[in-house]
Amino acid sequence: MTQYDYDLFVIGAGSGGVRAARIAAGYGAKVAVAEEYRVGGTCVIRGCVPKKLFVYASHFSDEFKHAKGFGWDVGKSTFDWPTLIANKDVEIDRLNKIYIKNLETAGVEIILHRAEFKDDHTLVLVGENRTVTAERILVAPGAAPFVPHNVPGATYAITSNEAFHLETLPKSIAIIGGGYIAVEFAGIFNGLGVETHLLYRGDPILRGFDEDLRKGVQGEMQKKGIDVQTNANVSCIHDHTHDNGGHFTVDIDDKPSIDVELVMYATGRVPHTTGLGLDKAGVNLDGAGAIVVDEFSQTNIENIYAVGDVTNRAQLTPVAIREGHAFANTVYGERPTSVDHAMIPTAVFSQPEMGTVGLTEEQAREKFGKIDIYKSTFNPMKNALSGSDEKTMMKLIVDAITDKVLGCHIMGPDSGEMAQLLGISLRMGATKADFDATMAVHPTAAEELVTMRTKFEG
Ligand code: NDP
């Protein structure tokens, strides 16, 4: 009989926490999970899932435009934002209920309150005014949007959290940032007919991805009518919504100010550790406020673990899920499991979409020196009748000595789907010769990946 109320207490019912709780309970542990907002976490409630639904919604404007070449006359189309929001909310409620049911079926107790550390085995349930004890504690509260509050007027801006619940669709928006969220939402708002400005402090957008694709996506976004301003440092946001202007004015260093109905910050997400009382438990944080863990997600305190965005290893849902599962296997399943954070396939649901796995050209050159580049930029078949001039781009980075494919980067429709499958080949160590020996699927865009023969001479 344990001296604690629970074998495992999980803080945060998001992707990582829910997976860990369910698997640990499946191994026979007595588990509780505390959640201060909604079960499902950022990905399900106000991240990946509703975002992808918005992306689908925003594609229709292009589809209607392109339908004509295929003989369709779709007439005059109109868009109703409240319908999209209401339908999205129904789907999110459905998923939220599934998450709750899955936890309950696994025997996990759900506590809909915030939990904070009192000491390394004790948590205060804020709102219930009681404490609970646990043999082990898993910290999985995710991350929260970062807003640079040193910019005057930054508080007027929304973040992605609020973007999912806007009552009305703005006529114009300025999105500050040039990463995943900024680029995805710029495509969403533009596709829904909003005058969209993307203000990024660097050049080109999407730092960290392959440079050719960064430039490619930026160019295509501009062609779609998005005002992408690079080297754009926002210095001040003025609120003129209550006077005749009815807008916000965004001042940008050395560039003309812009007037918009809404301003959104998408400038990264910070580990959600503030106020958790981790200091009372003696848990070490790094300089960015992330919990420091070892390869088994264990902190410096033996009975405290952490998974997901709060550890800042890779802020991606599938990574958090893997970390949660590996933790439960290690601690409760007697199967020590670490997560391999290398070679993570990922997609940016920009328009055009970007799918990528492995090293960028720049990273490969630095690490391997001698590399071969194969790249192809072409008009996808659909453009023949659609009238669209949006290009598809594919790029393979190959180790010139071993012939191993080190990276694969794609810009174009369904590139996220392709990245998922390419991730398997690259993890298995596929060579360029393996790609060449693979029969093409015709007619597809992906066949280009196995038919590129000419090295790119830069
Ligand atoms: P990112 O880290 O992707 O991008 C942050 C952007 O904000 C960068 O362009 C950065 O510029 C800029 N920035 C940071 N600080 C400032 C500042 N003080 N002033 C101006 N600009 C600033 O974060 P996101 O918020 O876009 O997304 C958060 C995380 O969520 C991502 O890391 C990603 O892992 C995850 N996510 C994944 C998605 C997917 O898988 N499709 C979708 C959405 C989010 P710079 O490049 O110069 O540093």
Side-chain angles (χ1 to χ4, degrees):
M1 182 71 184
T2 165
Q3 64 187 100
Y4 302 104
D5 298 330
Y6 301 98
D7 297 323
L8 174 67
F9 197 99
V10 181
I11 303 178
S15 301
V18 165
R19 176 60 66 97
R22 283 177 51 202
I23 303 301
Y27 284 125
K30 184 181 180 197
V31 185
V33 58
E35 170 57 53
E36 64 177 334
Y37 185 52
R38 293 184 71 188
V39 173
T42 300
C43 173
V44 174
I45 306 296
R46 48 187 179 188
C48 327
V49 175
K51 178 277 307 289
K52 189 90 189 271
L53 296 175
F54 281 10
V55 170
Y56 285 130
S58 66
H59 276 173
F60 282 96
S61 50
D62 269 353
E63 291 295 326
F64 293 150
K65 222 180 325 169
H66 298 156
K68 211 173 166 56
F70 294 91
W72 288 93
D73 179 0
V74 289
K76 184 176 160 19
S77 58
T78 56
F79 170 70
D80 186 52
W81 173 256
T83 301
L84 174 64
I85 295 291
N87 291 344
K88 178 266 296 177
D89 285 344
V90 169
E91 174 60 7
I92 300 310
D93 285 348
R94 189 183 73 84
L95 295 173
N96 168 248
K97 287 196 181 86
I98 290 175
Y99 268 68
I100 292 172
K101 188 161 180 284
N102 287 345
L103 282 169
E104 287 173 347
T105 306
V108 176
E109 181 183 339
I110 303 170
I111 298 171
L112 289 177
H113 282 293
R114 180 177 169 81
E116 292 174 4
F117 280 92
K118 190 172 174 199
D119 60 45
D120 55 351
H121 284 285
T122 314
L123 296 157
V124 179
L125 298 179
V126 181
E128 279 195 20
N129 211 11
R130 67 176 170 115
T131 57
V132 289
T133 58
E135 183 183 14
R136 294 192 184 86
I137 297 169
L138 178 70
V139 191
F146 162 74
V147 174
H149 285 292
N150 58 324
V151 176
T155 47
Y156 300 131
I158 63 160
T159 67
S160 58
N161 282 354
E162 294 75 38
F164 291 112
H165 300 287
L166 294 174
E167 278 178 21
T168 52
L169 187 66
K171 289 196 177 57
S172 55
I173 189 166
I175 302 176
I176 304 164
Y180 279 88
I181 296 179
V183 168
E184 291 181 344
F185 269 94
I188 289 167
F189 282 116
N190 180 62
L192 296 179
V194 178
E195 175 196 310
T196 305
H197 307 264
L198 183 75
L199 309 176
Y200 175 48
R201 65 181 178 182
D203 186 33
I205 57 172
L206 292 168
R207 186 168 64 83
F209 291 93
D210 189 88
E211 179 114 2
D212 279 329
L213 271 89
R214 294 169 64 190
K215 289 181 182 155
V217 171
Q218 184 167 309
E220 293 296 341
M221 287 175 73
Q222 283 166 325
K223 269 167 45 184
K224 282 178 188 288
I226 299 173
D227 169 37
V228 182
Q229 298 198 30
T230 53
N231 300 312
N233 288 299
V234 171
S235 55
C236 190
I237 302 168
H238 307 271
D239 181 5
H240 297 305
T241 52
H242 302 294
D243 45 71
N244 286 340
H247 57 252
F248 295 100
T249 299
V250 182
D251 291 346
I252 311 162
D253 285 348
D254 307 321
K255 291 182 193 277
S257 301
I258 52 173
D259 293 338
V260 283
E261 243 182 53
L262 196 64
V263 184
M264 173 171 160
Y265 267 106
T267 40
R269 294 174 61 84
V270 285
H272 206 2
T273 47
T274 315
L276 266 185
L278 286 158
D279 50 328
K280 293 177 187 152
V283 174
N284 284 346
L285 304 183
D286 69 11
I291 297 178
V292 182
V293 289
D294 67 10
E295 59 178 319
F296 297 109
S297 297
Q298 191 171 28
T299 69
N300 60 308
I301 305 299
E302 203 190 348
N303 70 304
I304 301 179
Y305 294 75
V307 295
D309 288 3
V310 78
T311 63
N312 224 358
R313 287 176 280 187
Q315 289 186 340
L316 295 166
T317 299
V319 175
I321 291 173
R322 277 289 165 89
E323 291 168 357
H325 204 129
F327 154 79
N329 280 348
T330 303
V331 177
Y332 295 101
E334 292 172 12
R335 276 197 292 148
T337 314
S338 61
V339 174
D340 181 2
H341 290 90
M343 201 71 94
I344 300 172
T346 184
V348 184
F349 295 99
S350 45
Q351 299 180 38
E353 191 172 308
M354 200 168 108
T356 173
V357 58
L359 301 181
T360 65
E361 179 178 341
E362 300 75 30
Q363 290 163 339
R365 222 176 267 295
E366 201 182 312
K367 195 163 173 197
F368 290 86
K370 213 168 154 17
I371 55 168
D372 293 329
I373 306 293
Y374 297 84
K375 63 180 169 185
S376 172
T377 305
F378 57 96
N379 283 315
M381 192 178 180
K382 195 173 172 188
N383 289 9
L385 300 191
S386 72
S388 166
D389 65 351
E390 186 176 289
K391 301 288 182 211
T392 286
M393 190 191 292
M394 297 194 179
K395 185 168 172 182
L396 291 179
I397 320 288
V398 180
D399 184 340
I401 311 293
T402 63
D403 198 41
K404 217 168 139 175
V405 181
L406 303 170
C408 184
H409 311 281
I410 307 166
M411 172 186 86
D414 303 319
S415 52
E417 308 286 345
M418 294 182 225
Q420 180 65 84
L421 302 178
L422 285 161
I424 303 170
S425 323
L426 264 64
R427 269 192 75 84
M428 292 176 73
T431 60
K432 178 68 169 63
D434 291 322
F435 273 58
D436 294 346
T438 303
M439 202 64 81
V441 179
H442 186 70
T444 63
E447 68 184 299
E448 199 72 21
L449 293 166
V450 297
T451 54
M452 284 192 270
R453 294 287 184 270
T454 315
K455 284 181 204 164
F456 180 75
E457 309 291 348

